[in-house]
Amino acid sequence: MRKPLEHIKVLDFTRVLAGPYCTMILANMGAEIIKIERPGSGDDSRDFGPFMNGQSAYFVSINRGKKSIALDLKSPKAIELVKELVKEVDIVAENFRPGTMEKLGIGYEELKKINPKLIFATMSGFGQTGPYSKRPAYDMIVQGMGGIMSITGEEGGDPVRVGTSIGDITAGMFGTIGILAALVDRDISGEGRMVDVAMLDGQLSILENAISRYTATGEVPKPLGARHPSIAPFEAYKTKDSYVIVACGNDALWEKFCKLTSREDLLAMDEFKTNPDRVKNVRKLKEYMTEIFGQKTTAEWDEYLNKNGIPCSAINTVDKLFTDPQVAARKMLVEVEQPGVGKIKIAGNPIKLSGLEEEIPKDAAPQIGEHSELILKKYLGYTDEQIAELKKENII
Amino acid sequence: MRKPLEHIKVLDFTRVLAGPYCTMILANMGAEIIKIERPGSGDDSRDFGPFMNGQSAYFVSINRGKKSIALDLKSPKAIELVKELVKEVDIVAENFRPGTMEKLGIGYEELKKINPKLIFATMSGFGQTGPYSKRPAYDMIVQGMGGIMSITGEEGGDPVRVGTSIGDITAGMFGTIGILAALVDRDISGEGRMVDVAMLDGQLSILENAISRYTATGEVPKPLGARHPSIAPFEAYKTKDSYVIVACGNDALWEKFCKLTSREDLLAMDEFKTNPDRVKNVRKLKEYMTEIFGQKTTAEWDEYLNKNGIPCSAINTVDKLFTDPQVAARKMLVEVEQPGVGKIKIAGNPIKLSGLEEEIPKDAAPQIGEHSELILKKYLGYTDEQIAELKKENII
């Protein structure tokens, strides 16, 4: 069976994380990604650790299966070349600071004249419009500004960031969704669109009940450590050796839990009768829970409660994922054979589609300009002489 | 200009968060969502607080602009009706525990016989395959199991969950991506596909550098509070009145920062010469930073540094977003007029597409079964008599 995006070609100006994460998802589903990199230095994230034999494992994990063309965008000849390539592709993706593509002469308005079917996706910190549009952005800035840091952390503790770059990553995902929706639309309308995604906008969109809580009650949501704001018991509790998360999502599970732990006495207590009661008395409840969970290890609780249908889990460190049977069964850690490095384990494709045995490209991440010749010959019919000329002029 | 998914119809069996978040994104881009709800009680999240005039603001925020048909799926007649509707739609979306749709007689294998062009998207805790497949899952369970909690929190502190249900939300987003990719593919192949998304798989996919760090170094990533693992200064610092995040992403910004704060002495220090030096001596650096930032308020720092091109931000609480000029300019908080409640502010659409003035449906969230008649008449040509019959039998 064909890969769903096998017929789609992407001219990819993106660097670092938000944009490359977007084109990685597209690559995983079969799209051809033509990654444009600065000759010599390439994508900034090639310099981000950790390194394996001098290559960035970080870069590899997000850029496997893409093709790289080295191109000095400061040269007018390179810009002409980009415009030729734009005729051949479906999508342009970029995550420069707003205004950069226009300054280079390859903004959306310019490119859609060349290819009206083009979908032009831009991912930036604050979007193409609004008063902060031109501000520099990093993931943590956006996490701080967008509210998620204000609801993440220990109760009454210092602010903490989400341990992964959720600002970049959700922008990359929303960018992907916009691109695909525009492709679906193009099959009807025959025309392309511009997709304008901002990291900050994405943060608002994932705030979930924090926004409705504030809207409905005027209460400013705060960090709650590892407990649920409106369900109890639904929290991480200390065990004999570490922690276990237990999630009694309804009264039936609470009743079952009390019976399984021989604590029918708690069932009889008015303070814990209904879920609203338990949430109201969550501190007192925690004292009992801590007493109960301290009696066994996390592994013991995990086995006992799961066997009996109470949702629970250990808090896995990252190493544990490498031996988890479910992660293995779902092929969520796969190996890339990276020339000069050997095997690198990276995250698999979370979008499982029927009819595809292996959805992820096992191809390595490219070296800077590894496919310059191939792309110029395949798409633009360049000759060896023309290519030699471009090389001599340090354009590719 | 048309909305990109205006021609797409979704039969939506989803409840609570992951699935409804997916169909909300599709609704925002114009798809018609036919939400199937249990007669009487409806989607569980109708009972989730906070409430406004007896209606769940939480439910409204995720289900605005959808149509609701009440349908008792335990009745064979309802299942026949579902099978009729399946012929009329492009997509079926569901987030039951794996096996439920099969038990109801409307699993993918059954439905694709009826409509080979159907795209069938399922979102679950652990996916349709693997040893944990049938386990119950909640967002926090998956956050614990998937590693993100082990890298979120204060250094050396207790584990904390990400303050929003990132497990559900990313599953909803990956589900949306899978659905749209299958639609793009269908325009070529003429056939539908099954999309199988697991919350746990999504967690692996967003772990970012945590996986490459462990792969490359064997080091188990830990929580780092509000600082970046490999860039410094890149952290939240205490100010005179609260915190400010400052992100000197490269040596040039560091130099600029030192000059702006008249701390050229730090520039001269060997311990802080390069970024790797500053990361190595991050504790000592923090002492100086705390001294510097304690001299002004967050608002003063925010204004001064931003004006001078140093990326920085306050840590906004959720209420601050309601008055932020960038959030307003991007229409990231919009109003829904909910009958019986009045205006409710909800998050806007983060996918901005050219040619669309207002991309988000301003329509209210439906009452249970509000559109039962409309849908049965429009899609299946049912008569008033047939509908009255179904009502008498308590099927709709």
Side-chain angles (χ1 to χ4, degrees), chain A residues 2 158 164 185 187 243, chain B residues 2 158 164 185 187 206 243:
Chain A
R2 65 189 297 278
D158 283 338
T164 184
D185 173 57
D187 283 332
Y243 292 90
Chain B
R2 64 189 297 279
D158 283 337
T164 184
D185 173 58
D187 283 333
I206 67 169
Y243 292 89

Side-chain angles (χ1 to χ4, degrees), chain A residues 254-265:
Chain A
W254 165 243
E255 195 181 323
K256 201 171 176 183
F257 171 80
C258 290
K259 287 181 181 164
L260 281 169
T261 52
S262 307
R263 290 303 300 257
E264 285 89 349
D265 59 315

Side-chain angles (χ1 to χ4, degrees), chain A residues 101-161:
Chain A
M101 290 293 276
E102 286 78 6
K103 237 182 267 168
L104 292 168
I106 47 177
Y108 177 55
E109 294 305 323
E110 202 59 41
L111 296 188
K112 89 172 167 188
K113 284 183 215 152
I114 300 170
N115 178 359
K117 291 170 76 79
L118 183 73
I119 291 156
F120 184 104
T122 163
M123 288 151 277
S124 60
F126 304 104
Q128 301 296 305
T129 56
Y132 305 169
S133 177
K134 299 279 160 95
R135 276 201 200 176
Y138 287 99
D139 174 79
M140 206 187 301
I141 298 284
V142 171
Q143 284 199 26
M145 203 181 278
I148 201 166
M149 279 181 72
S150 77
I151 54 171
T152 302
E154 296 181 26
E155 271 188 273
D158 283 338
V160 308
R161 79 183 269 270

Side-chain angles (χ1 to χ4, degrees), chain A residues 301-313, chain B residues 135-136 145:
Chain A
W301 282 119
D302 195 19
E303 201 208 324
Y304 179 62
L305 294 178
N306 260 313
K307 198 176 64 192
N308 288 290
I310 304 282
C312 77
S313 173
Chain B
R135 276 200 199 176
M145 202 181 279

